[in-house]
Amino acid sequence: MCPKVTTHYKTELRSKILEAAAENFSRSGFDRTKMEDIARTMNLSKGTIYLYFKSKEDLFYAICEYKLEELKRQLSMLFKKKEDLISDAEVFYDNYRRAESGSESVFFEMIAESTRNPKIKSILQEHRKKIHDVVVQSLELDVQRGFFNHGIEELAAIASGLISLYDGLMLARLLGLSEQENKRAWVETVRAIVSGLTKIEK
C-alpha cells in the first residue's frame, strides 16, 4: 500500500523543486539546464518534476510568482507609521535582500535568455508589471494613511524609480561592489524621495 501524499508534502516538494531549478539555472544557465539535471539535484525522477511543472519556462514562472509573494509579505510587515518610513526602508532592504540571496544571478541569466527566448521575455515583462503594481499599491496605501499627498501618475513613476534602483543595486552586488555602499545608496535615495513627497527635513 502506497503512503498517502499530503498537501503539505506536495507544497514542500514544489518549493524544493523551485530551489533546485534556481540553483541549476544560476550555475549552468537556463538553456543548458535540462529537467533531468534538476531531478538529479534532488535525487528524484524526471517524471516527478513533470508532475509539478510542464517545462523549464513553467519553473521560471513559478520562481517569479514566489518572489512576488515574498515582496508582498515584506511590504505588508512595514511602513505602518510616517515617522518610521526611513528606518522601515532600511529593514526592508535587509530582509528582502536576505530572502533574495542567491537568486540575483538567476534573474540576470534570464534577462540574457530573454533576448533569444520569447516565452522568457514575456514572463519577465509580466513579472515586472506585477512588481510595479504591488509597489504602486503599497504607495497608494501610504497616501491613504496620510504619509504622502500625490496623484497616481506620480506614484507610478516613483514605483518605477524604486524598482530600477533596487535592480541596479542587485547588479552592483553581483559585480562585487560593497554591500554597505549599496545599502547606503538605497536608504539615502529613499530618504530623498520621502523628503520630497512629505517636505520633511532629514
Side-chain angles (χ1 to χ4, degrees), residues 128 132 135-136 139 153-169 186 189-190 193:
R128 179 63 176 241
H132 184 266
V135 176
V136 168
L139 290 170
E153 288 183 8
E154 290 181 359
L155 293 183
I158 290 165
S160 293
L162 288 170
I163 295 164
S164 296
L165 171 63
Y166 189 87
D167 287 349
L169 294 175
W186 170 261
T189 303
V190 171
I193 291 171

Side-chain angles (χ1 to χ4, degrees), residues 19-38:
E19 289 174 10
E23 177 188 331
N24 278 271
F25 293 161
S26 178
R27 183 179 61 242
S28 305
F30 181 84
D31 191 49
R32 291 184 297 278
T33 296
K34 297 180 172 58
M35 292 295 257
E36 50 260 40
D37 297 327
I38 298 167

Side-chain angles (χ1 to χ4, degrees), residues 4 16 22 24 34 44 58 61 92 101 109 114 143 148 156 159 161 167 185 198:
K4 184 178 179 181
K16 288 180 178 178
N24 278 271
K34 297 180 172 58
L44 293 174
D58 281 351
Y61 183 86
F92 170 83
S101 182
E109 160 66 23
S114 71
V143 169
F148 308 134
D167 287 349
T198 62

